[in-house]
Amino acid sequence: MVKRAEFIYTFLLMWLLVPQVFAMPDLNKAFKEITFESSSSKNLKLDAYKGKVMLVFFGYTHCPDICPTTMLDLSKTLRELGEDASRVQPIFISVDFKRDSPERLQNYIEFFDKNIIGLTSSEEMLNLASEYFRTSYALLDSKDKENYIVEHSSNLYIIDENLFVKRIIPNGLPHTEITKAVRKILAN
């Protein structure tokens, strides 16, 4: 009888905890509460892109490796999607709120693809976005220097037309994985 009760208790505990551990982030609050700024808009919310598949990446323009590689991957994905690219909105969110102005972001993303949108926000809003997206960033030695490094998560969030995270792609996978994931969502 004790073993059966132990089994039931363990099963219930797993049932309660596992969905929280492995669930995709719930971004409903993020879409409603967080405001961003682009070169063409001051109070932009991500729910403005409802109806499109969003490819959301957090980075910064001074990044020496991961960010430019990811931007190239997004550019390649858009080219491979052809006409379907119009149903996709890639978004680069800068976590370097000290250096990355909307204008700097615009110049940076245009180098890769004019359809990518560059967004930034206040430290408070970026911290909130980081919490909701379950991502992280840190400005290292930024108090005394103009040239500092930003540590940041390097996942790409694929969000469907109804604002649900469908897939999180880790850095290092080929751009074809992004393309496949987007095509799968667009086919549904």
Side-chain angles (χ1 to χ4, degrees):
M1 186 65 149
V2 173
K3 287 199 180 237
R4 182 177 177 178
E6 236 177 74
F7 172 77
I8 292 171
Y9 176 75
T10 303
F11 177 78
L12 287 173
L13 190 60
M14 286 177 52
W15 181 73
L16 289 171
L17 295 178
V18 170
Q20 295 174 9
V21 173
F22 295 105
M24 294 292 190
D26 179 1
L27 299 177
N28 280 320
K29 286 184 179 181
F31 292 125
K32 294 174 186 167
E33 295 176 11
I34 302 170
T35 56
F36 294 97
E37 188 175 338
S38 72
S39 63
S40 62
S41 180
K42 294 279 183 211
N43 290 309
L44 184 66
K45 293 187 179 185
L46 292 179
D47 64 359
Y49 302 106
K50 185 173 183 172
K52 289 192 171 207
V53 172
M54 284 187 275
L55 306 174
V56 178
F57 180 73
F58 292 85
Y60 68 114
T61 63
H62 288 78
C63 181
D65 47 20
I66 293 170
C67 297
T69 303
T70 302
M71 292 297 101
L72 284 171
D73 286 344
L74 290 176
S75 179
K76 290 175 186 176
T77 293
L78 291 174
R79 278 196 307 272
E80 286 181 0
L81 289 171
E83 290 182 17
D84 282 336
S86 65
R87 299 171 56 199
V88 177
Q89 184 56 69
I91 299 172
F92 178 80
I93 299 174
S94 173
V95 293
D96 189 354
F97 53 87
K98 291 185 175 184
R99 292 183 293 192
D100 286 346
S101 66
E103 293 74 26
R104 176 184 285 268
L105 277 168
Q106 186 65 31
N107 289 334
Y108 179 78
I109 59 169
E110 281 182 355
F111 178 77
F112 299 101
D113 192 291
K114 63 181 174 117
N115 295 309
I116 299 171
I117 293 177
L119 301 177
T120 189
S121 197
S122 66
E123 180 178 13
E124 178 186 1
M125 288 286 123
L126 290 171
N127 288 341
L128 198 55
S130 181
E131 179 184 327
Y132 288 140
F133 276 85
R134 298 183 192 165
T135 189
S136 63
Y137 75 95
L139 281 58
L140 305 179
D141 297 325
S142 67
K143 290 181 182 171
D144 300 327
K145 298 181 187 177
E146 188 174 309
N147 294 320
Y148 53 88
I149 294 193
V150 179
E151 284 187 354
H152 63 92
S153 301
S154 58
N155 292 327
L156 176 70
Y157 297 81
I158 301 180
I159 302 168
D160 74 6
E161 300 97 326
N162 296 309
L163 307 178
F164 292 104
V165 176
K166 289 299 187 179
R167 184 148 178 218
I168 300 174
I169 296 184
N171 180 44
L173 290 180
H175 77 277
T176 54
E177 288 300 313
I178 302 169
T179 306
K180 278 195 284 186
V182 171
R183 280 192 172 132
K184 184 176 179 181
I185 293 170
L186 291 174
N188 291 331

